[in-house]
């Protein structure tokens, strides 16, 4: 089985979804695999397990675009507040 390729990540995501009783459409699996692969390349030096990396990516999936936008805005506001408090 390919380890750190798109196909390998897709297989790992499907296994993760089965273990955690998640019903993920094929497009979600494919998109998550692309994101995970890109992050894996960027964060290769970190000591995250494969499950932790997959969990981080899947944790931010939102059912609607409006909810996604609200979540992004909320995260940006928290970051801005943290910068203001640190200054």
């Amino acid at each position: 089985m390919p380890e750190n390729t798109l196909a390998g990540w897709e297989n790992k995501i499907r296994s993760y979804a089965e273990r955690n009783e998640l019903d993920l459409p094929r497009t979600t699996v494919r998109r998550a695999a692309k994101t995970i692969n890109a992050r894996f390349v960027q964060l290769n030096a970190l000591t995250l397990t494969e499950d932790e990396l997959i969990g981080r990516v899947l944790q931010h999936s939102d059912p609607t675009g409006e909810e996604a936008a609200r979540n992004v805005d909320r995260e940006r506001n928290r970051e801005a507040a943290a910068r203001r408090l640190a200054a």
Side-chain angles (χ1 to χ4, degrees):
M1 176 174 96
E3 285 298 315
N4 296 321
T5 63
L6 284 178
W9 285 114
E10 286 179 25
N11 292 335
K12 292 173 188 177
I13 291 168
R14 284 188 200 96
S15 296
Y16 178 89
E18 284 181 24
R19 286 192 311 273
N20 292 284
E21 299 177 4
L22 299 172
D23 183 27
L24 299 177
R26 183 175 178 214
T27 55
T28 301
V29 171
R30 182 73 175 159
R31 198 173 321 125
K34 286 181 179 182
T35 303
I36 289 169
N37 192 49
R39 288 190 187 174
F40 180 80
V41 169
Q42 292 173 348
L43 306 174
N44 199 17
L46 293 180
T47 56
L48 295 176
T49 66
E50 292 171 353
D51 278 355
E52 289 172 333
L53 186 59
I54 292 169
R56 284 185 180 195
V57 170
L58 294 179
Q59 149 187 1
H60 294 292
S61 62
D62 298 308
T64 66
E66 292 169 356
E67 185 175 341
R70 280 194 301 270
N71 289 340
V72 168
D73 289 342
R74 186 179 314 116
E75 189 173 319
R76 285 181 183 161
N77 289 340
R78 278 192 213 131
E79 291 170 0
R83 283 193 304 271
R84 284 192 304 271
L85 291 174

